[in-house]
Amino acid sequence: MKLCIETAEPCDGEELRTLLIDAAEQLLGAGNALLEAKLPWDGHPILFADASGHPVLISFDPEQGQSALLNGLRTSEQLASALPWINQVYEALAGRQLPVRLVVVSRDYPPGSRAILSACPLLTLFRYRILNINGETGLWLERMDDASDTPRHDDASDTPRPEPQPALECAPEPDGGSTPPAPGAALPSLSDEETAFFQQL
Amino acid sequence: MTTQLSPVWQRRPASSDRLARISARFLSDTPDTADNADSCRTIPFLLDNPGQSWVTHDLCRVLGQRGHKAVLCHLDEPWNSQQRDLSGEPGTRTEGSQYCLLPVTSLETVRAARFDHLVLLVPASLSAVRTAYRRIKALSEEPRPEIGIVVVGPRDQHAAWRYFRKLAVGSLRYLDMPLLNLGFLPEDVTPEHGPVNHHRKNFLARISERLVRSGFYLSATDRSAQG
């Protein structure tokens, strides 16, 4: 079969929302669950749970990367402060109180993104293009990799990308980034109130 | 008009009792006598990881340079949960020394030894602060030790204060345990600097002075009442 790929006209926000929800596995890996398709905050981001139980906020804007990032950061902060409540509401989070991951999708990476990315292990940035593949609309996602100087261009097709794992690996464990305690020295767990208090400085 | 504090800053109702205990302690404090001035004072440190052992090593050296002869002692870890007599632990090595710094990495050791004073080395990250809080929580059952904090690796004084404040407010709010700020070692002070580096020595000197001035060491009864 002949494969005909060409760029398509930019889409609007609602069309992009649908495409992003369809591409959730590429963005978040397998085993994710959609929690809210349209949150009632600026930019109306999407809320998912990933396979490990992190709440994942997808903030997007068809054109403005800066707006997508700022809206995402603002909503992340609100979600972080309401984490105990969110864990009660959504069963997919399994009550693990894990910190919120933020995924920002826009036509271009937001300005200063490399510096922001290196400081925020729970942030993942994607840029997108709308493609027309044999008459079907498809979404091409390119993830900004903070380990390399230039974004990768080797996967410009509708082939699913490898799962975006690094952000997940960088996410702090409940024990923190310090050396795990010695065997036998089990540390007490934190209450909801304590967890929320130590969520941020 | 009533003023409401943020819940974070409100003490638990029991804090008035604690204030009374603290007041009593200060009223009954007496200066060093000839009896205890000659004895070696043990300062236990709970390290976040073994890689922090350079801190106690250099503190020991700086204490000595400032006229407080100090020796570094080590325990065989990990201890089990049984309480253990500490009175003979440092042994004859401490003879003639004013201070004995005792770095440990296991919480079990701290619990078994029932230290009444403990310095916690806390890396400058939110996750490490959380781990330190959980360690403090594990130690918050009676008898509660007095805990001093040294923040290791913050960018500057302001960052160090933010990490300490987070930990101190959390401990006071949820555990009713006040923490003592013993200072910090900024990120540009590293083991690679070498102990003669002035910048590094300044920060270590501040910590050693606070330890000495605040009398932050095991009480004599604590070291002999185990077992």
Side-chain angles (χ1 to χ4, degrees):
Chain A
M1 188 182 88
K2 186 181 174 186
L3 196 63
C4 179
I5 302 173
E6 55 187 12
T7 54
E9 289 295 310
C11 61
D12 65 12
E14 290 312 305
E15 197 177 348
L16 181 56
R17 179 188 309 280
T18 308
L19 290 169
L20 287 172
I21 291 172
D22 288 344
E25 200 162 317
Q26 288 170 261
L27 287 163
L28 311 175
N32 66 74
L34 177 65
L35 303 182
E36 290 289 342
K38 195 171 182 177
L39 285 171
W41 285 302
D42 288 346
H44 300 290
I46 310 166
L47 184 64
F48 277 90
D50 68 14
S52 58
H54 281 268
V56 187
L57 189 70
I58 299 184
S59 179
F60 61 95
D61 190 289
E63 293 297 330
Q64 301 292 326
Q66 198 169 353
S67 304
L69 178 62
L70 289 177
N71 289 339
L73 290 173
R74 200 177 295 132
T75 309
S76 290
E77 194 176 27
Q78 287 168 322
L79 287 178
S81 62
L83 209 54
W85 178 82
I86 290 166
N87 273 266
Q88 282 180 357
V89 173
Y90 300 110
E91 286 181 7
L93 298 176
R96 296 181 62 188
Q97 310 280 347
L98 295 176
V100 179
R101 285 176 55 200
L102 174 60
V103 175
V104 173
V105 183
S106 58
R107 188 162 177 79
D108 291 302
Y109 300 126
S113 51
R114 200 166 298 284
I116 298 167
L117 201 58
S118 62
C120 302
L122 295 175
L123 172 67
T124 315
L125 301 175
F126 284 91
R127 65 180 176 186
Y128 78 94
R129 294 286 183 274
I130 302 294
L131 300 176
N132 193 321
I133 305 159
N134 286 358
E136 296 281 329
T137 302
L139 187 66
W140 171 61
L141 291 164
E142 183 179 31
R143 177 179 170 163
M144 175 175 255
D145 186 356
D146 61 341
S148 64
D149 289 330
T150 53
R152 290 193 302 264
H153 290 278
D154 55 352
D155 51 357
S157 71
D158 61 341
T159 309
R161 286 176 40 79
E163 293 173 6
Q165 292 297 332
L168 191 59
E169 290 164 4
C170 294
E173 292 299 317
D175 277 338
S178 54
T179 305
L187 294 177
S189 59
L190 301 183
S191 66
D192 291 350
E193 201 180 345
E194 288 168 324
T195 303
F197 178 76
F198 285 103
Q199 203 66 48
Q200 54 194 5
L201 274 183
Chain B
M1 190 181 80
T2 56
T3 306
Q4 287 203 329
L5 286 172
S6 158
V8 165
W9 294 99
Q10 290 173 23
R11 289 180 165 185
R12 285 171 25 181
S15 59
S16 56
D17 297 339
R18 191 173 59 79
L19 188 64
R21 289 203 305 274
I22 293 170
S23 308
R25 194 197 71 177
F26 278 111
L27 290 172
S28 63
D29 275 352
T30 52
D32 282 344
T33 61
D35 286 344
N36 59 19
D38 292 337
S39 62
C40 183
R41 295 144 177 176
T42 303
I43 309 176
F45 288 76
L46 179 57
L47 313 186
D48 179 79
N49 58 74
Q52 288 181 333
S53 56
W54 66 273
V55 177
T56 45
H57 175 269
D58 286 10
L59 262 177
C60 190
R61 184 187 287 248
V62 168
L63 275 167
Q65 287 167 348
R66 299 177 74 81
H68 310 288
K69 194 176 175 194
V71 64
L72 199 58
C73 300
H74 292 281
L75 297 175
D76 295 329
E77 292 189 83
W79 283 11
N80 56 28
S81 56
Q82 287 183 325
Q83 291 175 16
R84 184 167 147 184
D85 189 352
L86 245 193
S87 55
E89 280 298 333
T92 54
R93 286 189 62 205
T94 62
E95 282 178 12
S97 298
Q98 270 183 286
Y99 291 96
C100 166
L101 305 194
L102 195 63
V104 300
T105 54
S106 160
L107 192 63
E108 288 301 300
T109 304
V110 176
R111 280 167 144 172
R114 302 181 71 187
F115 295 134
D116 64 357
H117 286 72
L118 181 69
V119 180
L120 225 62
L121 301 187
V122 182
S125 72
L126 189 57
S127 57
V129 166
R130 212 178 290 131
T131 303
Y133 175 79
R134 293 175 71 193
R135 287 176 148 191
I136 294 168
K137 190 173 183 180
L139 295 169
S140 64
E141 294 166 10
E142 300 293 338
R144 294 178 159 199
E146 292 200 22
I147 295 178
I149 301 295
V150 174
V151 179
V152 182
R155 194 171 51 236
D156 52 28
Q157 187 179 1
H158 300 294
W161 173 244
R162 280 201 299 274
Y163 287 114
F164 173 76
R165 187 182 56 187
K166 190 73 189 177
L167 189 55
V169 170
S171 297
L172 193 60
R173 171 81 184 100
Y174 301 114
L175 308 174
D176 198 25
M177 283 182 77
L179 302 180
L180 179 64
N181 186 5
L182 290 170
F184 71 102
L185 292 165
E187 62 182 353
D188 55 357
V189 170
T190 64
E192 288 74 33
H193 272 133
V196 292
N197 179 282
H198 286 296
H199 184 56
R200 174 177 178 168
K201 218 156 80 174
N202 285 342
F203 284 100
L204 288 163
R206 281 183 215 168
I207 295 168
S208 66
E209 277 306 305
R210 285 183 192 176
L211 282 169
V212 170
R213 284 174 185 272
S214 60
F216 203 88
Y217 44 80
L218 298 187
S219 61
T221 51
D222 181 74
R223 293 189 57 217
S224 57
Q226 317 297 321

